[in-house]
């Protein structure tokens, strides 16, 4: 648990400014001494290894190609307890799933830096012959062993480690040859921790971003990426985009010039396509306004992150539709799920099937775009009108310093996240799905969303309440959490049966 | 007939809070007194809270697959702490991967849980099970003191 972690010893006041070289050297030395495999990290050797890989195994290059060729790549998630199982998984996802990007998800003990517990889970999994961890214990295996994962496939690989404690996992993973790393200060602190402050979350990720910038200084461009799905539960696009903008600014301040953005799908095609376009547009707008003119920001769309139906056929529809949404939205990449999503972690075979379903859907929708369609243009303007007041107020509260502004904005509830486990998040905001299937705000908490925009949200939710003959209340927001997971008989009853 | 004190929370390094929060809201609405420990709760914290509040039941949630590791020895911890009779429920996606439910349920009942609940359990079903189990216990207590 995060309360048991050693306190951050940094005494310098929080700021967005880049960590100075000499200070970072000390921070790295202390960090790498926390577990024996830290001694295996030699950044110059790692840089030479990255440079020895062909471009098609380097995720930064691959993402740039995807954007240049207007292609939507596919990427699964996946991690298991032992390296033998992990190699098998990555080979299946590569060969049977045709994944463009291969994942290594770490287990939840590793994510919380409980490396002794991860070791126990690893050993019990070896004994049991099945994975008892929900991911790969990257730090326990270390740099040399984990490089075998990079060498067993001919695709680029990304570390997926849902955590606000990325410092050691990132050192090991990047040195092993992973060329992508998912995770960011605000997004992961609010979605994966209970007690960690926004400030410490920012500091932990400043380390990660500074490390990526160090690789860049040495000639290796890495794909850093923002986990925009947040708590995965009915996140309206404007909240995701606010965190994308702020985390992108934090990363750019540390020297990152390649920063992927993610958006979890709302499952409304117009809303999702609008979100992808506006996310890219507003991140660039604020980056350029702060003097960062050359940050590459490809967008990844994520299959539905909320509760999934038990029925595998319903899940298959969600998987395919998720490919359609990513393609129509013009995303550079889609992160996939599978028909096993409701019960947890999929087998390699089912995971690979999810990739192929998605890939076919991307293919079918590859030429379809919504530009110029009235409802699409209206939705984009609505999102802009929600994001800008929140970001502007946050920057104002930090007197231009995005790190300080973010901390103060969370304290004041100017930024709020639905369903967050973190006690530093106000948690008053409450989204719900409206009559047309859009995610809207039932309650905005203390976020500075304009009144006329809120009137629009309230009205669209009132129409759903009237249609379903229920009161417009918190129950509607709770019901919206389960909507998509309901059985078909409830979701789409036959109109002929009275 | 309610009013019993329940401890809820998500065990171990698991951050999946949404279902647990909705369950806690439903239990409160049903008349129970709910101490919600939230996400990322170590096993010891469940026990501590149960002792402090003289709780009648502990409801453990786990969604991330590592519940099997986190729940090992949970009943023993309760007994060591003097909570011999406390009602123990567990629910969620309890193991890594897709396994037939009866086997998973058996594994957790063998660990000492009174009931285990599969994914997609409705909050009403939990309220009903609690009501039944508490009534049975009151019945037993009644017979013991004729």
């Amino acid at each position: 648990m995060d309360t048991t972690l050693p306190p951050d010893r940094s005494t310098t006041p929080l700021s967005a400014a880049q960590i100075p070289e000499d200070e970072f050297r000390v921070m790295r030395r202390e960090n790498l001494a926390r577990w024996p495999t830290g001694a295996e990290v030699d950044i110059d050797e790692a840089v030479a290894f990255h440079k020895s890989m062909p471009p098609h195994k380097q995720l930064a290059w691959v993402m740039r190609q995807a954007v240049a060729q207007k292609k939507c790549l596919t990427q699964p998630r996946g991690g298991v307890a032992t390296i033998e199982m992990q190699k098998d998984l990555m080979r299946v996802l590569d060969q049977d799933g045709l994944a463009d990007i291969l994942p290594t998800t770490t287990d939840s003990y590793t994510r919380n830096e409980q490396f002794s517990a991860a070791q126990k889970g690893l050993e019990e999994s070896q004994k049991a012959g099945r994975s008892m961890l929900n991911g790969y214990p990257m730090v326990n295996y270390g740099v040399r062993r984990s490089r075998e994962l990079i060498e067993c496939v001919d695709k680029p690989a990304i570390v997926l480690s849902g955590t606000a404690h990325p410092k050691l996992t990132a050192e090991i993973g990047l040195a092993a040859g992973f060329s992508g790393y998912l995770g960011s200060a605000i997004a992961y602190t609010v979605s994966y921790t209970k007690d960690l402050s926004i400030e410490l979350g920012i500091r932990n990720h400043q380390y990660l971003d500074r490390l990526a910038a160090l690789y860049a200084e040495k000639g290796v461009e890495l794909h850093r990426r923002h986990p925009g799905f947040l708590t995965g539960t009915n996140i309206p696009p404007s909240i995701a985009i606010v965190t994308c903008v702020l985390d992108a600014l934090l990363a750019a301040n540390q020297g990152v010039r390649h920063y992927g953005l993610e958006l979890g799908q709302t499952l409304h095609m117009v809303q999702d396509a609008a979100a992808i376009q506006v996310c890219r547009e507003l991140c660039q707008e604020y980056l350029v306004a702060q003097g960062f003119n050359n940050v590459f920001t490809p967008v990844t769309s994520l299959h539905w992150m909320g509760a999934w139906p038990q029925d595998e056929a319903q899940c298959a529809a969600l998987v395919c539709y998720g490919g359609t949404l990513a393609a129509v939205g013009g995303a550079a990449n889609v992160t996939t799920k599978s028909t096993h999503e409701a019960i947890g972690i999929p087998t390699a075979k089912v995971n690979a099937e999810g990739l192929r379903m998605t890939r076919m859907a991307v293919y079918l929708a590859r030429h379809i775009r919504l530009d110029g369609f009235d409802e699409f243009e209206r939705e984009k303007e609505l999102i802009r009108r929600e994001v800008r007041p929140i970001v502007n107020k946050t920057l104002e509260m930090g007197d231009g310093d995005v790190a300080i502004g973010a901390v103060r904005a969370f304290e004041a509830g100017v930024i709020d996240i639905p369903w967050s486990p973190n006690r530093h998040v106000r948690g008053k905001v409450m989204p719900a799905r409206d009559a047309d299937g859009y995610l809207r705000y039932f309650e905005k908490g203390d976020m500075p969303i304009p009144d006329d925009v809120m009137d629009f949200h309230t009205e669209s939710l009132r129409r759903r309440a009237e249609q379903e003959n229920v009161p417009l209340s918190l129950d509607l927001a709770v019901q919206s959490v389960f909507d998509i997971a309901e059985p078909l008989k409830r979701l789409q009853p036959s109109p002929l049966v009275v | 007939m309610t009013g019993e004190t329940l401890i809820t929370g998500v065990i171990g390094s698991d951050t999946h809070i949404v279902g647990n929060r909705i369950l806690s809201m439903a239990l409160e609405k049903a008349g129970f007194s709910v101490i919600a420990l939230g996400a990322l709760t170590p096993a010891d914290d469940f026990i501590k809270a149960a002792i402090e509040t003289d709780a009648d039941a502990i409801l453990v949630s786990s969604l991330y697959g590592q519940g099997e590791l986190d729940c090992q020895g949970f009943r023993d911890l309760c007994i060591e702490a003097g909570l011999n009779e406390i009602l123990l429920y567990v629910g969620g996606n309890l193991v890594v991967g897709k396994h037939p439910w009866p086997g998973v349920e058996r594994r957790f009942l063998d660990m000492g849980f009174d009931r285990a609940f599969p994914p997609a359990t409705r909050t009403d079903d939990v309220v009903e099970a609690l009501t039944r189990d508490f009534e049975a216990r009151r019945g037993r207590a009644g017979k013991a003191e004729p």
Side-chain angles (χ1 to χ4, degrees):
Chain A
M1 220 198 102
D2 46 271
T3 48
T4 61
L5 294 168
D8 188 296
R9 271 182 283 277
S10 178
T11 48
T12 44
L14 181 71
S15 97
Q18 190 183 43
I19 303 169
E21 202 180 330
D22 50 343
E23 197 180 310
F24 191 51
R25 202 175 303 123
V26 177
M27 289 168 74
R28 289 191 66 221
R29 201 182 309 134
E30 286 177 1
N31 180 37
L32 293 174
R34 293 190 300 143
W35 193 257
T37 54
E40 295 177 17
V41 175
D42 172 348
I43 193 164
D44 292 315
E45 188 278 336
V47 163
F49 178 77
H50 277 270
K51 287 180 177 172
S52 75
M53 286 196 291
H56 69 266
K57 285 189 71 171
Q58 299 185 31
L59 188 50
W61 185 86
V62 168
M63 293 301 291
R64 285 183 184 273
Q65 286 301 112
V67 170
Q69 296 180 26
K70 296 189 162 45
K71 286 284 184 338
C72 180
L73 307 177
T74 60
Q75 177 211 307
R77 301 182 179 85
V80 277
T82 71
I83 193 164
E84 292 76 20
M85 297 177 198
Q86 184 65 21
K87 280 189 209 169
D88 288 344
L89 173 62
M90 288 172 78
R91 287 193 194 108
V92 171
L93 297 174
D94 176 16
Q95 288 158 22
D96 297 351
L98 309 173
D100 295 301
I101 304 166
L102 291 167
T104 294
T105 303
T106 62
D107 69 279
S108 290
Y109 295 139
T110 297
R111 300 184 201 184
N112 289 285
E113 302 195 318
Q114 298 171 317
F115 304 121
S116 305
Q119 189 64 35
K120 180 172 168 254
L122 163 56
E123 285 161 14
E124 294 210 12
S125 300
Q126 281 168 333
K127 259 184 261 162
R130 65 185 168 93
S131 183
M132 293 173 76
L133 293 174
N134 62 0
Y136 171 76
M138 178 82 73
V139 172
N140 297 72
Y141 273 108
V143 177
R144 280 190 292 271
R145 291 305 310 276
S146 297
R147 190 167 288 177
E148 294 173 26
L149 301 176
I150 301 299
E151 287 169 340
C152 82
V153 287
D154 198 27
K155 302 261 178 73
I158 185 168
V159 179
L160 308 175
S161 191
T163 177
H165 311 286
K167 294 194 290 192
L168 198 46
T169 306
E171 287 277 8
I172 303 276
L174 297 177
F178 285 84
S179 49
Y181 201 98
L182 177 69
S184 73
I186 294 170
Y188 266 169
T189 304
V190 301
S191 43
Y192 281 96
T193 71
K194 179 157 79 171
D195 297 312
L196 194 77
S197 66
I198 304 295
E199 170 169 350
L200 286 180
I202 289 175
R203 286 184 188 272
N204 287 346
H205 287 85
Q206 284 179 325
Y207 182 107
L208 167 59
D209 289 326
R210 185 68 181 85
L211 181 62
L214 185 60
Y215 272 88
E217 287 164 23
K218 292 174 183 284
V220 173
E221 183 180 60
L222 298 170
H223 173 72
R224 280 282 297 113
R225 194 193 292 172
H226 178 270
F229 55 89
L230 298 170
T231 55
T233 305
N234 290 348
I235 301 294
S238 47
I239 289 186
I241 294 170
V242 165
T243 67
C244 282
V245 170
L246 298 174
D247 278 332
L249 290 173
L250 286 166
N253 271 285
Q254 293 306 314
V256 171
R257 295 295 177 266
H258 181 128
Y259 197 72
L261 310 164
E262 277 188 354
L263 291 168
Q265 297 175 351
T266 67
L267 302 179
H268 189 292
M269 186 176 285
V270 173
Q271 191 166 31
D272 283 328
I276 290 168
Q277 274 202 9
V278 174
C279 183
R280 204 161 25 213
E281 170 196 308
L282 289 183
C283 283
Q284 283 298 328
E285 181 181 306
Y286 283 99
L287 282 163
V288 169
Q290 295 221 348
F292 303 111
N293 296 306
N294 56 346
V295 185
F296 176 65
T297 52
V299 180
T300 289
S301 176
L302 290 89
H303 280 173
W304 176 240
M305 293 292 291
W308 280 56
Q310 296 290 311
D311 174 17
E312 292 188 8
Q314 283 177 254
C315 291
L318 272 177
V319 169
C320 297
Y321 183 52
T324 310
L325 294 175
V328 172
N333 178 35
V334 55
T335 299
T336 62
K337 294 209 177 206
S338 74
T339 55
H340 277 188
E341 183 59 25
I343 54 94
I345 293 170
T347 61
K349 178 176 178 287
V350 165
N351 205 343
E353 284 168 2
L355 279 160
R356 295 206 307 281
M357 290 177 192
T358 307
R359 199 173 192 86
M360 184 65 187
V362 167
Y363 167 76
L364 292 171
R366 67 199 181 285
H367 299 308
I368 303 168
R369 292 294 181 275
L370 301 180
D371 298 82
F373 176 48
D374 282 350
E375 192 171 331
F376 174 64
E377 300 300 329
R378 181 207 70 184
E379 194 61 25
K380 284 198 296 183
E381 188 53 24
L382 187 74
I383 296 172
R384 290 187 195 106
R385 294 199 58 215
E386 292 160 14
V387 173
R388 283 205 183 100
I390 301 173
V391 173
N392 292 346
K393 182 75 190 165
T394 301
L395 294 174
E396 185 192 310
M397 290 174 87
D399 298 320
D401 184 297
V402 61
I404 295 170
V407 170
R408 291 180 182 160
F410 271 98
E411 278 167 11
V414 165
I415 310 174
D416 201 353
I417 310 289
W419 303 104
S420 169
N422 190 299
R423 57 176 100 251
H424 303 284
V425 174
R426 189 149 294 190
K428 275 164 77 175
V429 61
M430 194 52 80
R433 200 175 285 277
D434 76 7
D436 302 321
Y438 285 97
L439 284 183
R440 300 297 184 205
Y441 291 103
F442 168 70
E443 165 66 59
K444 72 177 172 72
D446 298 301
M447 297 196 298
I449 296 176
D451 288 344
D452 64 314
V453 172
M454 272 313 288
D455 290 343
F456 177 79
H457 286 255
T458 306
E459 188 45 41
S460 62
L461 290 173
R462 178 170 297 126
R463 276 196 295 119
R464 174 174 175 183
E466 277 165 12
Q467 278 178 17
E468 297 182 8
N469 201 20
V470 294
L472 178 58
S473 71
L474 185 65
D475 287 348
L476 196 66
V478 171
Q479 177 54 40
S480 298
V481 172
F482 298 113
D483 278 345
I484 304 301
E486 297 278 16
L488 274 175
K489 278 182 184 163
R490 279 173 81 130
L491 286 176
Q492 185 81 342
S494 168
L496 303 178
V497 178
V498 183
Chain B
M1 290 296 284
T2 52
E4 287 89 352
T5 300
L6 315 176
I7 311 293
T8 66
V10 189
I11 197 166
S13 295
D14 192 350
T15 183
H16 291 94
I17 189 59
V18 180
N20 184 262
R21 199 171 281 168
I22 289 171
L23 173 65
S24 302
M25 286 157 66
L27 294 172
E28 245 169 33
K29 208 168 163 185
F32 296 105
S33 165
V34 180
I35 315 295
L37 303 180
L40 295 155
T41 299
D44 286 338
D45 286 12
F46 283 92
I47 315 280
K48 265 184 249 163
I51 294 170
E52 277 168 24
T53 61
D54 192 20
D56 301 286
I58 300 176
L59 286 72
V60 176
S61 294
S62 179
L63 261 289
Y64 72 154
Q66 294 181 185
E68 193 177 357
L69 291 169
D70 296 324
C71 291
Q72 281 174 6
F74 196 90
R75 177 57 86 180
D76 297 336
L77 282 176
C78 291
I79 293 169
E80 277 164 35
L83 301 169
N84 296 325
E85 293 297 310
I86 195 159
L87 192 63
L88 292 185
Y89 285 7
V90 64
N93 290 332
L94 296 176
V95 293
V96 173
K98 184 162 190 164
H99 301 277
W101 172 246
V104 176
E105 184 181 32
R106 189 71 260 156
R107 227 176 280 169
F108 280 81
L109 296 183
D110 287 346
M111 272 189 231
F113 286 91
D114 295 290
R115 287 180 192 269
F117 294 86
T121 299
R122 299 251 155 197
T123 56
D124 292 348
D125 299 337
V126 181
V127 171
E128 201 189 305
L130 280 168
T131 308
R132 222 176 319 137
D133 287 349
F134 284 136
E135 268 172 19
R137 289 183 167 214
R138 274 192 295 269
R140 276 211 307 272
K143 274 176 212 146
E145 306 167 65

